[in-house]
Amino acid sequence: GQVGLRDGALVPGGVVAEAEQALVNLAGLLAGEGAAMADVVKTTVFLADMDDYGAMNEVYVAAFGDHRPARSAVAVAALPIGAQVEIEAIARA
């Protein structure tokens, strides 16, 4: 899973900024393996507060465009380093 880390620290700006960075990080990991966001077949989004789903979803839709992998969204009690969102993905290359 990816949280909104950049340069070793959680990005400021709340769930939107964290989701944007988590997806940038995910895209970078995929590229390193010869894959792209279009190769993602399933994601799981972990949210510290399910009320943030709408804001996260706007960022998520922008990142994936017309590609819509299967997705689950789960509320959790806490995430690593105090993150508000974590996104994990399964991709096929």
Side-chain angles (χ1 to χ4, degrees), residues 30-56:
L30 290 166
E33 296 298 323
M37 296 294 266
D39 296 311
V40 173
V41 295
K42 167 75 169 80
T43 63
T44 304
V45 178
F46 302 94
L47 291 165
D49 184 347
M50 195 54 81
D51 288 340
D52 289 332
Y53 180 86
M56 175 283 305

Side-chain angles (χ1 to χ4, degrees), residues 8-41:
L10 197 59
V11 296
V15 72
V16 169
E18 288 183 34
E20 289 171 342
Q21 188 63 50
L23 289 162
V24 166
N25 295 347
L26 176 60
L29 285 174
L30 290 166
E33 296 298 323
M37 296 294 266
D39 296 311
V40 173
V41 295

Side-chain angles (χ1 to χ4, degrees), residues 62-93:
F64 280 101
D66 291 334
H67 178 60
R68 295 287 190 269
R71 175 178 57 177
S72 300
V74 181
V76 296
L79 290 166
I81 67 169
Q84 295 178 44
V85 61
E86 180 175 357
I87 302 171
E88 70 175 21
I90 298 170
R92 62 170 166 70

